[in-house]
Amino acid sequence: MPSETDPNPSGTDPNHILEFPGGYTRSVGPVIGRFLSELRDGRLKGVKTKSGRVLFPPVEYDPDTGDDVTDEFVDVGPVGTVTSWSWVPNPRKTHPLDRPFAWALIRPDAADTALLHALDMGVFEQGAKPPRQLKTGMRVRPRWRAERTGGIGDIECFQPEVTMINAPSRLEYRLQGGRALDRFLEGVEQGRILGHRCAVCGQVIIPMKGLCPKDGVPTSEEVELPHTGTVTTFAVNNLPDPRAPEVPFVSAYILLDGAGLTMLSLVAGIPADQVRMGMRVRAAWRPRAEWTRSMSNIKWFEPLDEPDVPFDQIKDYL
């Protein structure tokens, strides 16, 4: 029997409840019954109309003509396409998920009609805005319940197809640098930045390579460079890097004072959106006790309180 509670003057809770103890039992017929039986077994089935359209979920009559559908059932999905959606930032107690989700119309592959169901986009805080990847046309598949009874709730929800993965990667190798690079790293281990001067063009090459990339001649004259330089060009990075102090961070090409080639390093000590071409910087070295034969002795370059270098003076080093 339906039951009714006393009115609640606060208005925050329902003041009427319609309840059928033991549930409401009804027959479903051969078309809906076949659909629900297939759901219980973890399959999606549509039914064909006389015109050849595949209806999903199946119904007894063609919605366009009112004719009986055929008795031909068709496998559809399980992957489908979102045709429309509505984001639910604050789910209610009666909703299928306890975190923000979307109601979506989903048309399984091989079907001509769509099913309304919950779409789980992942874990979000209450009140969150819809994620960027939620869009019409996205591909989704059902997440089945472990215990199924033959009802639409046997599909717990739909989830996006996996399109990207984040796989940890690590490559270990030993670099044999040759005499020039070995000498350069020896200098770095001593807190010195060494370059080679080309006898033809006069440019100072850093790191030392043993030859001039411009003239192709061997180089051997050592030049010690200052630890200051100029940013020629840079990139703002938004992916984490263990070498960087924070995200976003800046990687930049630095033209050391007196050098003829730029070197790549991090820039820190200034917000990423304030780094600029022509900015003057100085090397920030790690504590002396941490020095090894590696460029990691220089953590990054930090800004100097000096005027920027005009673009015309660095344009040939971009």
Side-chain angles (χ1 to χ4, degrees):
M1 293 290 293
S3 62
E4 181 177 302
T5 65
D6 294 333
N8 185 335
S10 68
T12 58
D13 294 321
N15 57 21
H16 290 78
I17 295 176
L18 181 65
E19 181 179 9
F20 293 89
Y24 178 78
T25 302
R26 55 159 291 192
S27 61
V28 294
V31 175
I32 303 301
R34 173 71 181 273
F35 168 65
L36 297 178
S37 297
E38 297 286 353
L39 280 180
R40 184 187 57 195
D41 295 337
R43 294 187 293 267
L44 302 182
K45 288 282 187 178
V47 67
K48 276 193 174 183
T49 65
K50 294 178 181 178
S51 64
R53 296 179 71 227
V54 176
L55 305 181
F56 181 85
V59 292
E60 291 90 348
Y61 303 98
D62 185 334
D64 293 334
T65 65
D67 295 335
D68 291 344
V69 296
T70 69
D71 58 359
E72 183 178 354
F73 285 83
V74 179
D75 289 321
V76 299
V79 181
T81 301
V82 172
T83 62
S84 181
W85 57 268
S86 178
W87 183 246
V88 182
N90 295 293
R92 298 181 178 181
K93 291 186 298 183
T94 54
H95 279 156
L97 297 173
D98 60 1
R99 57 176 181 262
F101 71 99
W103 288 116
L105 282 173
I106 299 164
R107 185 177 65 245
D109 292 352
D112 294 299
T113 57
L115 168 75
L116 178 65
H117 214 297
L119 175 58
D120 185 4
M121 295 299 297
V123 178
F124 296 91
E125 294 182 357
Q126 294 293 319
K129 295 181 178 180
R132 289 184 300 175
Q133 58 267 38
L134 174 58
K135 55 187 177 182
T136 299
M138 71 181 302
R139 302 282 285 165
V140 297
R141 64 173 57 235
R143 183 169 74 208
W144 297 94
R145 294 190 186 277
E147 298 291 333
R148 298 189 288 271
T149 59
I152 194 61
D154 289 347
I155 300 175
E156 184 177 359
C157 62
F158 281 77
Q159 292 178 295
E161 281 271 78
V162 176
T163 57
M164 298 182 67
I165 62 171
N166 186 350
S169 59
R170 178 182 176 86
L171 177 65
E172 295 187 11
Y173 59 94
R174 183 177 297 277
L175 175 64
Q176 188 67 35
R179 286 180 296 180
L181 184 56
D182 190 60
R183 173 60 180 151
F184 172 76
L185 295 176
E186 180 183 358
V188 171
E189 188 177 25
Q190 300 168 355
R192 306 166 64 202
I193 302 178
L194 301 177
H196 268 167
R197 189 188 305 278
C198 173
V200 177
C201 66
Q203 286 192 338
V204 176
I205 300 135
I206 177 174
M208 299 156 74
K209 304 177 184 296
L211 59 86
C212 175
K214 178 180 177 181
D215 299 299
V217 298
T219 56
S220 58
E221 180 188 350
E222 288 188 7
V223 179
E224 183 170 352
L225 295 170
H227 301 177
T228 55
T230 303
V231 173
T232 60
T233 188
F234 64 92
V236 178
N237 305 273
N238 291 286
L239 298 177
D241 189 306
R243 299 168 298 175
E246 59 185 1
V247 175
F249 67 92
V250 173
S251 54
Y253 281 98
I254 311 295
L255 180 65
L256 291 180
D257 295 342
L261 295 176
T262 58
M263 60 182 291
L264 182 63
S265 183
L266 300 179
V267 173
I270 183 174
D273 61 358
Q274 294 182 23
V275 177
R276 55 201 180 272
M277 298 171 68
M279 187 176 73
R280 296 285 292 157
V281 291
R282 178 192 300 274
W285 292 75
R286 297 186 184 276
R288 179 66 180 85
E290 300 178 13
W291 287 359
T292 62
R293 190 169 292 211
S294 168
M295 279 302 293
S296 63
N297 293 353
I298 299 176
K299 293 188 296 183
W300 47 68
F301 281 76
E302 296 177 336
L304 279 172
D305 187 17
E306 295 181 2
D308 290 357
V309 173
F311 177 77
D312 285 345
Q313 296 183 24
I314 59 172
K315 63 181 182 181
D316 294 332
Y317 300 95
L318 302 181

